[in-house]
Amino acid sequence: MRKTESLDFLTALDPLFTLSFDSDSMLHVNVAEADDGRLTLTAYQREPTDAAGTRQLP
């Protein structure tokens, strides 16, 4: 599986990723592919329609 195929597979399962930084801080982001092929990261915000407890975030 190529690197891009692996990322496509992971984002198809769930586009929510956790970015970890050197300062031990974390940021949850949604990942999407832009029209030009670059990745777009947006800060995760719980959708009001999500049932409580459907996402397990640290």
Side-chain angles (χ1 to χ4, degrees):
M1 192 178 285
R2 291 185 354 237
K3 192 175 194 179
T4 56
E5 290 173 344
S6 300
L7 184 59
D8 289 344
F9 174 75
L10 290 173
T11 55
L13 288 176
D14 191 347
L16 180 65
F17 287 78
T18 303
L19 300 179
S20 298
F21 301 95
D22 287 340
S23 63
D24 293 330
S25 62
M26 292 186 296
L27 176 65
H28 302 290
V29 295
N30 286 309
V31 178
E33 187 173 349
D35 292 336
D36 62 4
R38 293 187 291 174
L39 295 179
T40 303
L41 307 179
T42 54
Y44 170 75
Q45 294 183 2
R46 184 178 170 272
E47 295 291 327
T49 57
D50 285 349
T54 58
R55 296 232 180 197
Q56 300 296 318
L57 298 176

